[in-house]
Amino acid sequence: MKGKTQNQNLGRTFTKLFNAQLQLINVLSFFFLFGCGLATGVILSSYLKNVSFNLHVSQFSVSTTTTTTIPLPTFKLPRVGLKEYLKVPDVKHDMDEKELLWRASMTPKIREFPFDRAPKVAFMFLTKGPVLMAPLWEKFFKGHEGLYSIYVHSSPSYNESEPESPAFHGRRIPSEEVRWGNANMIEAERRLLANALLDIANQRFVLLSESCIPIFNFSTVYTYLINSTKNHVESYVLDGPVGNGRYSPHMRPGIRIEQWRKGSQWFEIDRDLAVEVVSDKKYFPLFQKYCKGQCYADEHYLPTFIAMKHSERNTNRTLTWVDWSRGGPHPARFLRTEVTVEFLERMRNGSKCVYNGNSTNTCFLFARKFWPNALDRLLRYAPKVMHFNQ
């Protein structure tokens, strides 16, 4: 009985000790949680005070800025307008053939110009080397700056060993090799047209050679071309081996024999037709592929193309006088002794034609072919016959 009582007392003692330890743990946990809560409250209170302070500062700053706004200075920017569009690229550009033709093919649909301009005539010289008659052309151009542009396509091998006259200085375009009668002759003509089209002021385009001369003064030529309602490309049907005999049946169906034409290489056209020529990707490739050997593409491409597509806008005559009376594949070349006042007058007034619907004897504005030794006589007679500087 006694032992049992002792065991009960011992159990109560252990229970009291366990309860005391558990109570101590609860007290310590309470103080720990209280401390954490207090620390969290202090930190949170401090953070909220800072946010409130910054917000007040921002509001004050905004309020101050709003109420004390300082007007900014105004700047008037220079007007650009069409300045960049109308800027003429340098003759010595780095465009390749595709880029050049693509850019040249652009044309505005609105005909009225929103700016003042003086229409210009583009004189395009297709040469082997220098322009042999350059001193005569200098007299022709003198005093008419701003009414003309000059472009020269010469052989890439020409090293400009001869000094260029002022009007022709720096007017050589990026060129390729050209062979007489070959389709690359047309490529050179298209290259000249494309470069000239980059100047929006150019409205008429004349193809000339190094042996060509003007036979009227600039004022007469300019007025004649700018006021013309037609293009001047020789185009006619010619039976026989040097005409229809050059046609290749491989050109069908794009070009048929009844559409085949022949004419002089030396043309004068307006801007609309020039754009059509540089944009042609249907007919010109046929000439590149099939007009070879004795075909002579330069005598057939433009006459055929215009007869097919633009005959109503063409006079079917050239403005460049030549003499075929001596026979052979090339026209006559004139020496110094053949240049006389009577000879020049005959070229100027010895024909009859139609200009803008009216009959006239001014049918040719240029002439070829002249040997370099004829230049001194041409310079001597020009003021008397052609009335230069008028």
Side-chain angles (χ1 to χ4, degrees):
M1 187 72 176
K2 184 179 179 180
K4 183 179 180 179
T5 300
Q6 289 177 343
N7 288 335
Q8 289 176 346
N9 289 337
L10 184 60
R12 282 194 290 271
T13 301
F14 277 117
T15 299
K16 288 180 181 180
L17 287 173
F18 177 78
N19 289 335
Q21 289 178 350
L22 182 61
Q23 188 176 4
L24 179 61
I25 291 172
N26 289 336
V27 170
L28 290 175
S29 298
F30 172 80
F31 279 109
F32 176 77
L33 293 173
F34 177 80
C36 289
L38 182 61
T40 302
V42 171
I43 293 171
L44 183 60
S45 177
S46 176
Y47 174 77
L48 291 174
K49 285 182 180 180
N50 287 335
V51 170
S52 177
F53 175 77
N54 289 336
L55 182 60
H56 283 299
V57 169
S58 299
Q59 290 175 344
F60 177 77
S61 176
V62 171
S63 176
T64 303
T65 304
T66 304
T67 56
T68 60
T69 301
I70 301 174
L72 296 174
T74 57
F75 297 96
K76 186 176 182 181
L77 296 175
R79 185 175 184 273
V80 177
L82 293 172
K83 182 178 179 181
E84 290 302 315
Y85 177 75
L86 299 176
K87 185 178 180 181
V88 182
D90 292 334
V91 172
K92 290 289 186 181
H93 56 73
D94 61 354
M95 285 183 281
D96 62 29
E97 197 84 346
K98 288 184 178 180
E99 292 170 335
L100 174 64
L101 294 174
W102 176 81
R103 181 168 178 181
S105 68
M106 297 180 181
T107 180
K109 295 296 183 182
I110 299 176
R111 292 295 181 178
E112 298 78 17
F113 290 87
F115 53 88
D116 294 331
R117 69 179 181 95
K120 295 195 293 186
V121 176
F123 293 85
M124 308 178 302
F125 292 84
L126 182 56
T127 74
K128 294 179 180 178
V131 179
L132 302 176
M133 298 291 138
L136 182 66
W137 285 103
E138 286 285 349
K139 288 184 175 293
F140 172 79
F141 290 125
K142 186 177 180 181
H144 302 285
E145 291 73 16
L147 297 178
Y148 65 88
S149 302
I150 296 174
Y151 303 88
V152 180
H153 185 297
S154 57
S155 172
S157 61
Y158 172 54
N159 60 7
E160 300 182 72
S161 55
E162 299 182 31
E164 293 179 306
S165 58
F168 292 89
H169 180 71
R171 303 309 301 173
R172 288 181 64 190
I173 67 169
S175 306
E176 299 290 339
E177 199 66 47
V178 172
R179 287 184 296 163
W180 177 72
N182 195 286
N184 57 26
M185 185 78 77
I186 309 301
E187 293 173 5
E189 294 176 9
R190 283 159 52 100
R191 200 172 294 124
L192 279 164
L193 283 171
N195 278 276
L197 282 167
L198 298 183
D199 186 343
I200 196 69
N202 287 332
Q203 296 299 304
R204 307 293 300 202
F205 303 79
V206 185
L207 182 67
L208 303 156
S209 73
E210 68 262 47
S211 63
C212 282
I213 66 166
I215 55 177
F216 286 93
N217 60 46
F218 183 89
S219 297
T220 301
V221 171
Y222 180 84
T223 302
Y224 193 102
L225 297 182
I226 293 297
N227 292 332
S228 178
T229 59
K230 300 273 188 174
N231 296 290
H232 302 92
V233 179
E234 190 175 53
S235 178
Y236 57 91
V237 176
L238 181 65
D239 293 325
V242 297
N244 286 349
R246 294 174 176 175
Y247 170 78
S248 170
H250 294 293
M251 291 186 171
R252 294 195 304 254
I255 302 173
R256 302 186 305 274
I257 182 62
E258 60 267 25
Q259 298 171 315
W260 188 253
R261 298 292 186 273
K262 180 175 178 169
S264 170
Q265 175 186 6
W266 313 104
F267 61 79
E268 189 281 326
I269 60 178
D270 63 19
R271 188 174 185 89
D272 289 341
L273 185 51
V275 171
E276 293 292 331
V277 172
V278 302
S279 305
D280 174 28
K281 300 189 73 174
K282 180 178 180 180
Y283 303 104
F284 180 57
L286 295 175
F287 277 84
Q288 288 179 303
K289 191 172 183 179
Y290 300 116
C291 188
K292 298 179 179 180
Q294 297 300 310
C295 180
Y296 305 137
D298 54 289
E299 294 182 3
H300 296 281
Y301 167 66
L302 210 54
T304 299
F305 176 73
I306 290 177
M308 293 176 63
K309 306 291 292 183
H310 309 282
S311 59
E312 74 286 352
R313 296 163 50 195
N314 190 37
T315 62
N316 294 328
R317 64 183 178 89
T318 179
L319 297 181
T320 301
W321 183 93
V322 292
D323 181 7
W324 289 99
S325 63
R326 303 179 189 181
H330 300 284
R333 298 192 69 172
F334 301 104
L335 299 168
R336 175 182 179 278
T337 54
E338 297 174 277
V339 177
T340 63
V341 172
E342 294 73 24
F343 174 62
L344 295 176
E345 288 289 2
R346 188 168 68 253
M347 289 190 296
R348 286 159 53 92
N349 304 306
S351 303
K352 292 288 183 181
C353 60
V354 175
Y355 171 78
N356 287 354
N358 299 313
S359 179
T360 179
N361 60 357
T362 304
C363 301
F364 301 103
L365 303 179
F366 315 99
R368 63 190 298 269
K369 291 178 159 185
F370 290 85
W371 287 96
N373 65 11
L375 181 60
D376 63 338
R377 282 206 176 188
L378 289 170
L379 290 173
R380 188 189 317 166
Y381 297 141
K384 184 184 302 183
V385 178
M386 303 174 197
H387 309 289
F388 283 178
N389 300 323
Q390 291 186 10

